[in-house]
PDB file of all heavy atoms in Angstrom:
ATOM      1  N   THR V  16       9.871  48.664-144.141  1.00 98.00           N
ATOM      2  CA  THR V  16       9.772  49.200-142.811  1.00 98.00           C
ATOM      3  C   THR V  16      10.496  50.581-142.694  1.00 98.00           C
ATOM      4  O   THR V  16      11.549  50.772-143.184  1.00 98.00           O
ATOM      5  CB  THR V  16      10.361  48.256-141.685  1.00 98.00           C
ATOM      6  OG1 THR V  16       9.973  47.011-141.835  1.00 98.00           O
ATOM      7  CG2 THR V  16       9.961  48.816-140.289  1.00 98.00           C
ATOM      8  N   PHE V  18      11.054  53.957-140.071  1.00 97.00           N
ATOM      9  CA  PHE V  18      10.795  54.778-138.916  1.00 97.00           C
ATOM     10  C   PHE V  18      11.006  56.194-139.261  1.00 97.00           C
ATOM     11  O   PHE V  18      12.166  56.694-139.420  1.00 97.00           O
ATOM     12  CB  PHE V  18      11.720  54.336-137.737  1.00 97.00           C
ATOM     13  CG  PHE V  18      11.538  53.030-137.327  1.00 97.00           C
ATOM     14  CD1 PHE V  18      12.443  51.947-137.676  1.00 97.00           C
ATOM     15  CD2 PHE V  18      10.566  52.616-136.412  1.00 97.00           C
ATOM     16  CE1 PHE V  18      12.328  50.616-137.202  1.00 97.00           C
ATOM     17  CE2 PHE V  18      10.388  51.360-135.955  1.00 97.00           C
ATOM     18  CZ  PHE V  18      11.197  50.323-136.378  1.00 97.00           C
ATOM     19  N   GLY V  19       9.938  57.009-139.449  1.00 96.00           N
ATOM     20  CA  GLY V  19      10.024  58.373-139.879  1.00 96.00           C
ATOM     21  C   GLY V  19      10.624  58.366-141.263  1.00 96.00           C
ATOM     22  O   GLY V  19      10.110  57.582-142.231  1.00 96.00           O
ATOM     23  N   HIS V  21      13.558  57.183-141.845  1.00 97.00           N
ATOM     24  CA  HIS V  21      14.624  56.236-141.876  1.00 97.00           C
ATOM     25  C   HIS V  21      14.063  54.857-142.338  1.00 97.00           C
ATOM     26  O   HIS V  21      13.214  54.156-141.839  1.00 97.00           O
ATOM     27  CB  HIS V  21      15.281  56.085-140.402  1.00 97.00           C
ATOM     28  CG  HIS V  21      16.231  55.028-140.306  1.00 97.00           C
ATOM     29  ND1 HIS V  21      17.302  54.761-141.216  1.00 97.00           N
ATOM     30  CD2 HIS V  21      16.489  54.138-139.324  1.00 97.00           C
ATOM     31  CE1 HIS V  21      18.015  53.770-140.746  1.00 97.00           C
ATOM     32  NE2 HIS V  21      17.697  53.543-139.510  1.00 97.00           N
ATOM     33  N   VAL V  22      14.639  54.452-143.581  1.00 97.00           N
ATOM     34  CA  VAL V  22      14.107  53.315-144.248  1.00 97.00           C
ATOM     35  C   VAL V  22      15.010  52.185-143.745  1.00 97.00           C
ATOM     36  O   VAL V  22      16.367  52.069-143.944  1.00 97.00           O
ATOM     37  CB  VAL V  22      14.246  53.465-145.725  1.00 97.00           C
ATOM     38  CG1 VAL V  22      13.834  52.089-146.374  1.00 97.00           C
ATOM     39  CG2 VAL V  22      13.429  54.590-146.268  1.00 97.00           C
ATOM     40  N   VAL V  23      14.355  51.150-143.096  1.00 98.00           N
ATOM     41  CA  VAL V  23      15.120  50.014-142.544  1.00 98.00           C
ATOM     42  C   VAL V  23      15.002  48.735-143.509  1.00 98.00           C
ATOM     43  O   VAL V  23      15.994  48.070-143.812  1.00 98.00           O
ATOM     44  CB  VAL V  23      14.642  49.625-141.171  1.00 98.00           C
ATOM     45  CG1 VAL V  23      15.339  48.422-140.574  1.00 98.00           C
ATOM     46  CG2 VAL V  23      14.849  50.822-140.164  1.00 98.00           C
ATOM     47  N   HIS V  24      13.854  48.443-144.048  1.00 98.00           N
ATOM     48  CA  HIS V  24      13.641  47.369-144.846  1.00 98.00           C
ATOM     49  C   HIS V  24      12.979  47.869-146.279  1.00 98.00           C
ATOM     50  O   HIS V  24      12.122  48.552-146.121  1.00 98.00           O
ATOM     51  CB  HIS V  24      12.711  46.306-144.322  1.00 98.00           C
ATOM     52  CG  HIS V  24      13.120  45.726-142.963  1.00 98.00           C
ATOM     53  ND1 HIS V  24      12.363  45.691-142.015  1.00 98.00           N
ATOM     54  CD2 HIS V  24      14.322  45.389-142.529  1.00 98.00           C
ATOM     55  CE1 HIS V  24      13.001  45.148-140.913  1.00 98.00           C
ATOM     56  NE2 HIS V  24      14.230  45.049-141.251  1.00 98.00           N
ATOM     57  N   GLY V  41      23.661  40.524-140.701  1.00 94.00           N
ATOM     58  CA  GLY V  41      23.711  41.839-141.157  1.00 94.00           C
ATOM     59  C   GLY V  41      24.394  42.680-140.096  1.00 94.00           C
ATOM     60  O   GLY V  41      24.467  42.393-138.922  1.00 94.00           O
ATOM     61  N   GLY V  42      24.885  43.888-140.557  1.00 91.00           N
ATOM     62  CA  GLY V  42      25.557  44.771-139.600  1.00 91.00           C
ATOM     63  C   GLY V  42      24.650  45.280-138.549  1.00 91.00           C
ATOM     64  O   GLY V  42      23.483  45.197-138.679  1.00 91.00           O
ATOM     65  N   SER V  43      25.179  45.938-137.590  1.00 90.00           N
ATOM     66  CA  SER V  43      24.478  46.547-136.410  1.00 90.00           C
ATOM     67  C   SER V  43      23.476  47.540-137.104  1.00 90.00           C
ATOM     68  O   SER V  43      23.976  48.379-137.887  1.00 90.00           O
ATOM     69  CB  SER V  43      25.323  47.145-135.433  1.00 90.00           C
ATOM     70  OG  SER V  43      24.623  47.431-134.406  1.00 90.00           O
ATOM     71  N   GLY V  44      22.266  47.466-136.693  1.00 92.00           N
ATOM     72  CA  GLY V  44      21.280  48.437-137.137  1.00 92.00           C
ATOM     73  C   GLY V  44      20.765  48.196-138.635  1.00 92.00           C
ATOM     74  O   GLY V  44      20.065  48.898-139.214  1.00 92.00           O
ATOM     75  N   SER V  45      21.062  46.958-139.101  1.00 95.00           N
ATOM     76  CA  SER V  45      20.600  46.677-140.415  1.00 95.00           C
ATOM     77  C   SER V  45      19.092  46.137-140.509  1.00 95.00           C
ATOM     78  O   SER V  45      18.578  45.935-141.523  1.00 95.00           O
ATOM     79  CB  SER V  45      21.557  45.544-141.102  1.00 95.00           C
ATOM     80  OG  SER V  45      21.449  44.366-140.283  1.00 95.00           O
ATOM     81  N   GLY V  46      18.608  46.053-139.318  1.00 96.00           N
ATOM     82  CA  GLY V  46      17.108  45.716-139.198  1.00 96.00           C
ATOM     83  C   GLY V  46      16.690  44.238-138.816  1.00 96.00           C
ATOM     84  O   GLY V  46      15.717  43.773-139.155  1.00 96.00           O
ATOM     85  N   LYS V  47      17.688  43.523-138.419  1.00 95.00           N
ATOM     86  CA  LYS V  47      17.561  42.114-138.062  1.00 95.00           C
ATOM     87  C   LYS V  47      16.452  42.024-136.905  1.00 95.00           C
ATOM     88  O   LYS V  47      15.463  41.157-137.067  1.00 95.00           O
ATOM     89  CB  LYS V  47      18.831  41.408-137.655  1.00 95.00           C
ATOM     90  CG  LYS V  47      19.889  41.532-138.556  1.00 95.00           C
ATOM     91  CD  LYS V  47      21.287  40.843-138.070  1.00 95.00           C
ATOM     92  CE  LYS V  47      21.782  41.519-136.851  1.00 95.00           C
ATOM     93  NZ  LYS V  47      22.315  42.950-137.003  1.00 95.00           N
ATOM     94  N   SER V  48      16.618  42.637-135.824  1.00 94.00           N
ATOM     95  CA  SER V  48      15.761  42.529-134.654  1.00 94.00           C
ATOM     96  C   SER V  48      14.376  43.043-135.166  1.00 94.00           C
ATOM     97  O   SER V  48      13.413  42.493-134.694  1.00 94.00           O
ATOM     98  CB  SER V  48      16.201  43.269-133.443  1.00 94.00           C
ATOM     99  OG  SER V  48      17.463  42.662-132.933  1.00 94.00           O
ATOM    100  N   THR V  49      14.287  44.059-135.867  1.00 96.00           N
ATOM    101  CA  THR V  49      13.032  44.651-136.195  1.00 96.00           C
ATOM    102  C   THR V  49      12.302  43.648-137.129  1.00 96.00           C
ATOM    103  O   THR V  49      11.100  43.378-136.903  1.00 96.00           O
ATOM    104  CB  THR V  49      13.291  45.961-137.052  1.00 96.00           C
ATOM    105  OG1 THR V  49      13.980  46.847-136.182  1.00 96.00           O
ATOM    106  CG2 THR V  49      11.917  46.576-137.479  1.00 96.00           C
ATOM    107  N   LEU V  50      12.980  42.887-137.919  1.00 97.00           N
ATOM    108  CA  LEU V  50      12.327  41.904-138.871  1.00 97.00           C
ATOM    109  C   LEU V  50      11.860  40.816-138.045  1.00 97.00           C
ATOM    110  O   LEU V  50      10.688  40.295-138.246  1.00 97.00           O
ATOM    111  CB  LEU V  50      13.404  41.506-139.876  1.00 97.00           C
ATOM    112  CG  LEU V  50      12.810  40.857-141.209  1.00 97.00           C
ATOM    113  CD1 LEU V  50      11.936  41.872-142.030  1.00 97.00           C
ATOM    114  CD2 LEU V  50      13.955  40.309-142.115  1.00 97.00           C
ATOM    115  N   LEU V  51      12.618  40.430-137.058  1.00 96.00           N
ATOM    116  CA  LEU V  51      12.270  39.274-136.127  1.00 96.00           C
ATOM    117  C   LEU V  51      10.880  39.847-135.304  1.00 96.00           C
ATOM    118  O   LEU V  51       9.907  39.139-135.253  1.00 96.00           O
ATOM    119  CB  LEU V  51      13.275  39.011-135.238  1.00 96.00           C
ATOM    120  CG  LEU V  51      13.003  37.637-134.330  1.00 96.00           C
ATOM    121  CD1 LEU V  51      14.388  37.105-134.033  1.00 96.00           C
ATOM    122  CD2 LEU V  51      12.393  38.158-133.004  1.00 96.00           C
ATOM    123  N   ARG V  52      10.854  41.008-134.931  1.00 96.00           N
ATOM    124  CA  ARG V  52       9.746  41.618-134.144  1.00 96.00           C
ATOM    125  C   ARG V  52       8.541  41.517-135.014  1.00 96.00           C
ATOM    126  O   ARG V  52       7.436  41.254-134.592  1.00 96.00           O
ATOM    127  CB  ARG V  52      10.070  42.916-133.586  1.00 96.00           C
ATOM    128  CG  ARG V  52      11.162  42.916-132.518  1.00 96.00           C
ATOM    129  CD  ARG V  52      11.643  44.341-132.137  1.00 96.00           C
ATOM    130  NE  ARG V  52      10.557  45.222-131.752  1.00 96.00           N
ATOM    131  CZ  ARG V  52       9.917  45.294-130.598  1.00 96.00           C
ATOM    132  NH1 ARG V  52      10.303  44.483-129.669  1.00 96.00           N
ATOM    133  NH2 ARG V  52       8.902  46.120-130.423  1.00 96.00           N
ATOM    134  N   HIS V  58       5.753  44.188-134.033  1.00 97.00           N
ATOM    135  CA  HIS V  58       5.877  45.443-134.854  1.00 97.00           C
ATOM    136  C   HIS V  58       5.267  45.200-136.210  1.00 97.00           C
ATOM    137  O   HIS V  58       5.320  44.111-136.603  1.00 97.00           O
ATOM    138  CB  HIS V  58       7.241  45.856-134.975  1.00 97.00           C
ATOM    139  CG  HIS V  58       7.504  47.246-135.387  1.00 97.00           C
ATOM    140  ND1 HIS V  58       7.687  47.443-136.787  1.00 97.00           N
ATOM    141  CD2 HIS V  58       7.366  48.422-134.915  1.00 97.00           C
ATOM    142  CE1 HIS V  58       7.753  48.770-136.982  1.00 97.00           C
ATOM    143  NE2 HIS V  58       7.569  49.465-135.866  1.00 97.00           N
ATOM    144  N   GLN V  92      17.049  39.444-127.468  1.00 77.00           N
ATOM    145  CA  GLN V  92      18.494  39.775-127.518  1.00 77.00           C
ATOM    146  C   GLN V  92      19.030  40.160-126.147  1.00 77.00           C
ATOM    147  O   GLN V  92      20.147  39.799-125.672  1.00 77.00           O
ATOM    148  CB  GLN V  92      18.728  40.989-128.386  1.00 77.00           C
ATOM    149  CG  GLN V  92      20.102  41.435-128.608  1.00 77.00           C
ATOM    150  CD  GLN V  92      20.288  42.347-129.857  1.00 77.00           C
ATOM    151  OE1 GLN V  92      19.130  42.871-130.442  1.00 77.00           O
ATOM    152  NE2 GLN V  92      21.439  42.660-130.281  1.00 77.00           N
ATOM    153  N   HIS V  93      18.238  40.734-125.280  1.00 77.00           N
ATOM    154  CA  HIS V  93      18.672  41.232-123.906  1.00 77.00           C
ATOM    155  C   HIS V  93      18.045  40.328-122.815  1.00 77.00           C
ATOM    156  O   HIS V  93      17.883  40.741-121.732  1.00 77.00           O
ATOM    157  CB  HIS V  93      18.523  42.603-123.671  1.00 77.00           C
ATOM    158  CG  HIS V  93      19.229  43.379-124.790  1.00 77.00           C
ATOM    159  ND1 HIS V  93      20.703  43.482-124.859  1.00 77.00           N
ATOM    160  CD2 HIS V  93      18.775  44.106-125.777  1.00 77.00           C
ATOM    161  CE1 HIS V  93      21.036  44.262-125.902  1.00 77.00           C
ATOM    162  NE2 HIS V  93      19.930  44.545-126.549  1.00 77.00           N
ATOM    163  N   ASP V 170      17.300  35.652-130.725  1.00 92.00           N
ATOM    164  CA  ASP V 170      18.006  36.886-131.099  1.00 92.00           C
ATOM    165  C   ASP V 170      19.389  36.962-130.369  1.00 92.00           C
ATOM    166  O   ASP V 170      19.535  37.124-129.085  1.00 92.00           O
ATOM    167  CB  ASP V 170      17.273  38.193-130.760  1.00 92.00           C
ATOM    168  CG  ASP V 170      17.683  39.479-131.449  1.00 92.00           C
ATOM    169  OD1 ASP V 170      18.829  39.445-131.986  1.00 92.00           O
ATOM    170  OD2 ASP V 170      16.964  40.437-131.408  1.00 92.00           O
ATOM    171  N   GLU V 171      20.460  36.663-131.135  1.00 91.00           N
ATOM    172  CA  GLU V 171      21.757  36.672-130.575  1.00 91.00           C
ATOM    173  C   GLU V 171      21.983  35.725-129.406  1.00 91.00           C
ATOM    174  O   GLU V 171      22.350  36.098-128.220  1.00 91.00           O
ATOM    175  CB  GLU V 171      22.288  38.099-130.157  1.00 91.00           C
ATOM    176  CG  GLU V 171      22.192  39.194-131.155  1.00 91.00           C
ATOM    177  CD  GLU V 171      23.426  39.168-132.137  1.00 91.00           C
ATOM    178  OE1 GLU V 171      24.243  38.144-131.995  1.00 91.00           O
ATOM    179  OE2 GLU V 171      23.461  40.079-132.947  1.00 91.00           O
ATOM    180  N   ILE V 202      19.105  35.178-135.022  1.00 96.00           N
ATOM    181  CA  ILE V 202      19.926  36.352-135.444  1.00 96.00           C
ATOM    182  C   ILE V 202      21.244  36.022-134.761  1.00 96.00           C
ATOM    183  O   ILE V 202      21.233  35.733-133.634  1.00 96.00           O
ATOM    184  CB  ILE V 202      19.295  37.547-135.008  1.00 96.00           C
ATOM    185  CG1 ILE V 202      17.998  37.836-135.718  1.00 96.00           C
ATOM    186  CG2 ILE V 202      20.321  38.763-135.204  1.00 96.00           C
ATOM    187  CD1 ILE V 202      17.186  39.019-135.129  1.00 96.00           C
ATOM    188  N   HIS V 204      25.829  37.096-134.945  1.00 88.00           N
ATOM    189  CA  HIS V 204      26.938  37.454-135.580  1.00 88.00           C
ATOM    190  C   HIS V 204      28.042  36.373-135.452  1.00 88.00           C
ATOM    191  O   HIS V 204      29.142  36.536-135.846  1.00 88.00           O
ATOM    192  CB  HIS V 204      27.640  38.765-134.783  1.00 88.00           C
ATOM    193  CG  HIS V 204      26.809  39.949-135.064  1.00 88.00           C
ATOM    194  ND1 HIS V 204      25.938  40.501-133.985  1.00 88.00           N
ATOM    195  CD2 HIS V 204      26.728  40.688-136.088  1.00 88.00           C
ATOM    196  CE1 HIS V 204      25.404  41.551-134.586  1.00 88.00           C
ATOM    197  NE2 HIS V 204      25.839  41.798-135.765  1.00 88.00           N
ATOM    198  N   LEU V 219      21.309  40.575-144.568  1.00 96.00           N
ATOM    199  CA  LEU V 219      20.645  41.822-144.635  1.00 96.00           C
ATOM    200  C   LEU V 219      21.607  42.981-144.888  1.00 96.00           C
ATOM    201  O   LEU V 219      22.552  43.101-144.034  1.00 96.00           O
ATOM    202  CB  LEU V 219      19.808  42.060-143.446  1.00 96.00           C
ATOM    203  CG  LEU V 219      18.273  41.533-143.232  1.00 96.00           C
ATOM    204  CD1 LEU V 219      17.723  42.200-141.999  1.00 96.00           C
ATOM    205  CD2 LEU V 219      17.508  41.774-144.456  1.00 96.00           C
TER     206      LEU V 219
HETATM  207  N1  ATP S   1      11.001  51.575-132.384  1.00 58.77           N
HETATM  208  C1  ATP S   1      11.911  52.227-133.128  1.00 58.77           C
HETATM  209  N2  ATP S   1      11.772  53.570-133.412  1.00 58.77           N
HETATM  210  C2  ATP S   1      12.727  54.118-134.190  1.00 58.77           C
HETATM  211  N3  ATP S   1      13.776  53.461-134.780  1.00 58.77           N
HETATM  212  C3  ATP S   1      13.836  52.266-134.559  1.00 58.77           C
HETATM  213  C4  ATP S   1      12.975  51.446-133.711  1.00 58.77           C
HETATM  214  N4  ATP S   1      13.388  50.197-133.805  1.00 58.77           N
HETATM  215  C5  ATP S   1      14.452  50.055-134.532  1.00 58.77           C
HETATM  216  N5  ATP S   1      14.751  51.428-135.052  1.00 58.77           N
HETATM  217  C6  ATP S   1      15.816  51.599-135.902  1.00 58.77           C
HETATM  218  O1  ATP S   1      15.888  50.562-136.934  1.00 58.77           O
HETATM  219  C7  ATP S   1      17.206  50.164-137.403  1.00 58.77           C
HETATM  220  C8  ATP S   1      17.343  48.756-137.275  1.00 58.77           C
HETATM  221  O2  ATP S   1      17.395  48.309-135.914  1.00 58.77           O
HETATM  222  P1  ATP S   1      17.400  46.792-135.442  1.00 58.77           P
HETATM  223  O3  ATP S   1      17.400  46.904-133.913  1.00 58.77           O
HETATM  224  O4  ATP S   1      16.360  45.995-136.067  1.00 58.77           O
HETATM  225  O5  ATP S   1      18.809  46.462-135.882  1.00 58.77           O
HETATM  226  P2  ATP S   1      19.660  45.238-135.673  1.00 58.77           P
HETATM  227  O6  ATP S   1      20.145  44.601-137.032  1.00 58.77           O
HETATM  228  O7  ATP S   1      18.967  44.212-134.951  1.00 58.77           O
HETATM  229  O8  ATP S   1      21.001  45.725-135.025  1.00 58.77           O
HETATM  230  P3  ATP S   1      21.958  44.999-133.855  1.00 58.77           P
HETATM  231  O9  ATP S   1      22.858  44.104-134.548  1.00 58.77           O
HETATM  232  O10 ATP S   1      22.766  46.160-133.294  1.00 58.77           O
HETATM  233  O11 ATP S   1      21.117  44.322-132.818  1.00 58.77           O
HETATM  234  C9  ATP S   1      18.093  51.026-136.444  1.00 58.77           C
HETATM  235  O12 ATP S   1      18.628  52.188-137.126  1.00 58.77           O
HETATM  236  C10 ATP S   1      17.289  51.391-135.103  1.00 58.77           C
HETATM  237  O13 ATP S   1      17.676  52.561-134.681  1.00 58.77           O
END
Side-chain angles (χ1 to χ4, degrees):
T16 309
F18 292 104
H21 181 30
V22 178
V23 178
H24 304 131
S43 191
S45 61
K47 305 178 296 296
S48 294
T49 302
L50 203 60
L51 188 150
R52 290 168 56 80
H58 190 263
Q92 187 165 5
H93 302 292
D170 196 347
E171 301 280 6
I202 294 173
H204 291 103
L219 277 189

